[in-house]
Amino acid sequence: TRGGGLVRGRRPIVRSPRGRLSRSERAAGRGTFTTDCRGAGLQPSVTTEIRIEPAREPQAAALGIATGDEVCVRERVMRGGDEVLQLAISYLPRTLTAGTAIEQPNTGPGGIYARLEDTGHHLTRYTEQVTIGRATDHEARLMGLSAGEPIFRVRRTAWAGDLAVEINDIAITGNRYELLYDLPAK
């Protein structure tokens, strides 16, 4: 309580890879971030910058391509309501994106994963590496945080068989998200 009244926190945004990465969500026309926002009752909006550039060594190694090969870079500022919740930079081999909606700001229903599957790249798995980091000055400014505030850093790789089709470096506000992993027992 504060001043005799009850103070309620904002509803957390639950980020569950099982639901957000599902084909059923893509078939319903939702991408991963749209699914997160929908579950939290927020209206999603995304500002996207697209560029083509030579792959630097870390991206090339992660994608299994040569350093200098062209990649499509999709850099996004992702808002729920009027709050920036995520910053995401995807790198995709240009051999997969040239001439597709992936190189457009609005990729259409289901996002880039639906477009990859439209071109015959059936997604078979995702890997995510999650760390905690401190917001850089640039991230803090965009996300409305204090510099050095904790954020989740997620590197997701999308796979079509043995082919890495996308790496996505994501910065997520640590004060709003709850990460949920529902894993089958084997």
Side-chain angles (χ1 to χ4, degrees), residues 1-185:
T1 65
R2 183 180 290 162
L6 180 62
V7 177
R8 293 185 184 190
R10 295 175 290 187
R11 189 160 112 189
I13 300 157
V14 178
R15 184 180 184 278
S16 174
R18 182 169 288 220
R20 69 194 311 271
L21 295 169
S22 70
R23 280 193 179 80
S24 63
E25 285 297 297
R26 288 194 297 280
R30 293 183 287 270
T32 57
F33 183 69
T34 304
T35 299
D36 289 350
C37 286
R38 180 174 173 253
L42 296 170
Q43 181 63 42
S45 65
V46 179
T47 305
T48 305
E49 177 189 316
I50 298 165
R51 62 187 179 273
I52 306 302
E53 65 185 33
R56 295 184 314 274
E57 194 282 325
Q59 290 82 27
L63 291 167
I65 61 176
T67 300
D69 283 0
E70 284 189 329
V71 289
C72 174
V73 180
R74 296 181 53 84
E75 189 165 355
R76 298 170 310 282
V77 177
M78 307 167 101
R79 294 173 184 81
D82 60 356
E83 183 180 10
V84 174
L85 299 172
Q86 293 185 29
L87 304 174
I89 305 174
S90 290
Y91 301 88
L92 301 99
R94 182 89 197 282
T95 56
L96 304 180
T97 66
T100 72
I102 295 170
E103 293 187 358
Q104 301 301 314
N106 182 350
T107 58
I112 63 175
Y113 293 154
R115 301 299 72 80
L116 284 166
E117 290 198 324
D118 288 348
T119 62
H121 294 90
H122 179 76
L123 300 175
T124 55
R125 67 186 172 102
Y126 306 90
T127 56
E128 288 194 343
Q129 180 180 9
V130 181
T131 59
I132 302 296
R134 300 269 178 212
T136 65
D137 289 341
H138 176 71
E139 290 166 333
R141 191 171 45 260
L142 287 174
M143 298 172 105
L145 304 172
S146 299
E149 193 168 325
I151 59 173
F152 292 109
R153 294 196 183 280
V154 179
R155 166 154 290 178
R156 179 176 55 238
T157 305
W159 298 87
D162 292 333
L163 179 65
V165 295
E166 180 226 25
I167 55 170
N168 190 353
D169 291 326
I170 310 163
I172 302 173
T173 54
N175 63 344
R176 287 299 310 273
Y177 270 83
E178 179 180 301
L179 306 184
L180 171 65
Y181 293 92
D182 178 9
L183 306 171

